């Protein structure tokens, strides 16, 4: 999935249409062992039948001290973890140059040759988009007048796509409005005022909304959670409700290889391990398939799709969803994903 990261990454941080399922390239072996997860009811560990390396970022220990995160590779099927001292606290791994980058995957060009970040300009009301050539390290700076562009607050990198760099404004945990910056011309214009959430590619975006008629919306510590998922076709402006669940907090956490959203649904916004949580696969605008029910569904984030399926990180391990294998826990190693498995 290329789109909104699990946590808001401000610009100053430097950072196919729905189709029929096909046979997934991954499947678990018959071996399944108990997980050492501290969460009751966690899935057992499944041993994968293929070989690949998954780049991950391991969070620092929660001991009250300041520690950097650790860049590493999780190997399958052995599940051995190898730290990479050359990572230097990178947020994503670029396969084109086998290099860790100081930005999230959303800020890396599709071909892996450039990445973008931003900072404040030298003049008031100005910000600068930087595009870095990964091979040479050359930094090309593009000053942007915030007033002319129409930004109320400093924007963030939403997605570095084939057609340009999408920018948005952080607002209550989502992106308020979307602008497209063209590096070839230096031009920028707003493409939608909607609070988009995920770019699925080919001009398809997903966003969530709260139905004001919901008599019992789910609340979290930060906001009232949305209860609807919408699909936006940017070229035509066509919008359609894909999921409507009153009394449920919903959020797109992944897009599978058929451009179908994987949706986290919770009923307790204050509990990070809501036991009533559910992972849904939205087959079309009228049908959702339940993938998993339980506290684990509330913990998953950062879905990344590759030939094996959709990978998820969490505080208690790494998970993989595929059509053939369903949701599997494949490692007890906590971490966030830095790319797909290769």
């Amino acid at each position: 999935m290329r789109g909104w990261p699990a946590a808001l990454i401000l610009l100053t941080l430097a950072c196919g249409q729905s189709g029929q399922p096909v046979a997934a390239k991954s499947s678990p072996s018959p071996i399944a062992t108990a997980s050492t997860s501290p969460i009751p009811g966690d899935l057992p560990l499944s041993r994968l039948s293929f070989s690949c390396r998954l780049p991950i970022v391991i969070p620092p220990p929660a001991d009250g001290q300041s520690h950097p995160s650790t860049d590493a590779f999780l190997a399958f099927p052995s599940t051995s973890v190898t730290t990479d001292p050359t990572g230097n606290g990178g947020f994503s791994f670029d396969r084109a140059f086998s290099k860790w980058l100081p930005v999230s995957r959303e800020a890396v060009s599709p071909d892996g040759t450039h990445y973008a970040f931003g900072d404040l300009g030298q003049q008031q009301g100005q910000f600068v988009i930087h595009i870095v050539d990964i091979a040479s390290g050359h930094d090309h700076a593009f000053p942007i007048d915030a007033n002319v562009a129409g930004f109320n607050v400093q924007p963030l990198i939403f997605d570095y796509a084939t057609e340009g760099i999408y920018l948005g404004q952080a607002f209550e945990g989502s992106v308020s409005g979307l602008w497209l910056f063209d590096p070839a011309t230096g031009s920028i214009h707003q493409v939608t005022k909607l609070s988009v959430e995920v770019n699925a590619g080919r001009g398809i975006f997903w966003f969530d909304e709260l139905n004001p008629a919901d008599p019992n919306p789910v609340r979290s510590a930060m906001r009232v959670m949305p209860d609807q998922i919408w699909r936006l076709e940017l070229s035509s402006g066509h919008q359609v409700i894909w999921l409507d669940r009153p009394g449920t907090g919903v959020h797109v956490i992944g897009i599978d290889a058929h451009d179908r959203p994987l949706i986290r649904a919770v009923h307790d916004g204050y509990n990070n391990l809501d036991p009533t949580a559910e992972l849904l696969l939205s087959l079309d605008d009228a049908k959702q398939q339940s993938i998993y029910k339980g506290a684990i569904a509330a913990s998953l984030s950062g879905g990344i799709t590759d030939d094996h399926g959709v990978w998820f990180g969490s505080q208690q391990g790494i998970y993989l969803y595929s059509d053939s294998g369903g949701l599997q826990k494949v490692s007890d190693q906590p971490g966030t994903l830095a790319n797909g498995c290769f």
Side-chain angles (χ1 to χ4, degrees), residues 2 94-97 101 108-115 133-135:
R2 295 187 61 86
D94 181 51
R95 291 180 58 183
F97 293 94
L101 302 178
V108 183
S109 64
D111 62 4
T113 60
H114 297 80
Y115 69 85
D133 181 88
I134 296 175

Side-chain angles (χ1 to χ4, degrees), residues 309-324:
V310 186
W311 301 86
F312 295 102
S314 77
Q315 294 182 351
Q316 72 278 350
I318 306 298
Y319 298 77
L320 174 65
Y321 168 76
S322 65
D323 287 336
S324 62

Side-chain angles (χ1 to χ4, degrees), residues 9-331:
I9 300 180
L10 296 179
L11 200 59
T12 52
L13 183 62
C15 351
Q17 312 308 332
S18 298
Q20 296 300 316
V22 297
K25 295 186 178 181
S26 63
S27 61
S29 76
I31 301 174
T33 59
S35 169
T36 60
S37 170
I39 300 173
D42 198 355
L43 291 169
L45 288 174
S46 293
R47 182 178 175 86
L48 299 175
S49 60
F50 55 84
S51 299
C52 68
R53 290 196 310 162
L54 182 70
I56 61 173
V57 178
I58 301 174
D63 58 4
Q65 303 297 316
S66 178
H67 302 280
S69 57
T70 302
D71 298 320
F73 294 97
L74 176 59
F76 295 104
S78 68
T79 69
S80 62
V81 177
T82 304
T83 60
D84 188 348
T86 69
N88 295 320
F91 293 102
S92 63
F93 183 77
D94 181 51
R95 291 180 58 183
F97 293 94
S98 297
K99 185 176 182 179
W100 291 88
L101 302 178
V103 296
S104 67
R105 286 184 66 255
E106 289 76 20
V108 183
S109 64
D111 62 4
T113 60
H114 297 80
Y115 69 85
F117 71 96
D119 56 28
L120 295 175
Q122 297 181 352
Q123 302 178 14
Q124 185 175 4
Q126 183 187 77
F127 67 94
V128 180
I129 299 175
H130 297 263
I131 298 180
V132 179
D133 181 88
I134 296 175
S136 65
H138 176 70
D139 183 339
H140 190 178
F142 296 86
I144 302 293
D145 188 318
N147 294 324
V148 173
F151 291 109
N152 296 320
V153 297
Q154 186 181 350
L156 50 85
I157 298 288
F158 177 75
D159 191 28
Y160 197 147
T162 303
E163 61 271 25
I165 299 173
Y166 288 100
L167 305 172
Q169 297 181 123
F171 179 73
E172 293 186 351
S174 64
V175 176
S176 178
L178 198 65
W179 285 255
L180 181 61
F181 172 72
D182 183 354
T185 63
S187 64
I188 185 171
H189 67 282
Q190 189 169 19
V191 293
T192 182
K193 294 182 179 180
L194 294 170
S195 298
V196 292
E197 187 175 20
V198 175
N199 179 8
R202 293 178 290 281
I204 303 300
F205 291 80
W206 298 95
F207 64 98
D208 52 36
E209 288 283 356
L210 173 65
N211 183 351
D214 187 345
N216 189 31
V218 176
R219 299 179 182 274
S220 69
M222 295 182 61
R223 60 169 179 161
V224 178
M225 300 181 71
D227 57 9
Q228 296 178 336
I229 299 295
W230 288 66
R231 181 182 186 271
L232 167 66
E233 187 177 274
L234 195 59
S235 60
S236 65
H238 179 66
Q239 308 169 41
V240 62
I241 298 177
W242 216 251
L243 176 69
D244 184 10
R245 288 213 170 183
T248 306
V250 295
H251 184 71
V252 176
I253 61 170
I255 302 291
D256 76 357
H258 313 294
D259 293 341
R260 302 173 302 186
L262 286 148
I263 300 167
R264 179 176 60 219
V266 300
H267 300 94
D268 183 353
Y270 293 97
N271 186 356
N272 292 332
L273 292 174
D274 176 8
T276 68
E278 190 172 7
L279 179 63
L280 303 170
L281 175 64
S282 189
L283 303 178
D284 55 39
D285 60 348
K287 184 178 181 181
Q288 287 79 42
Q289 176 182 339
S290 179
I291 300 302
Y292 179 83
K293 293 182 179 180
I296 299 305
S299 72
L300 305 179
S301 65
I304 291 182
T305 303
D306 61 16
D307 289 342
H308 308 295
V310 186
W311 301 86
F312 295 102
S314 77
Q315 294 182 351
Q316 72 278 350
I318 306 298
Y319 298 77
L320 174 65
Y321 168 76
S322 65
D323 287 336
S324 62
L327 183 67
Q328 309 165 62
K329 185 173 187 180
V330 295
S331 172

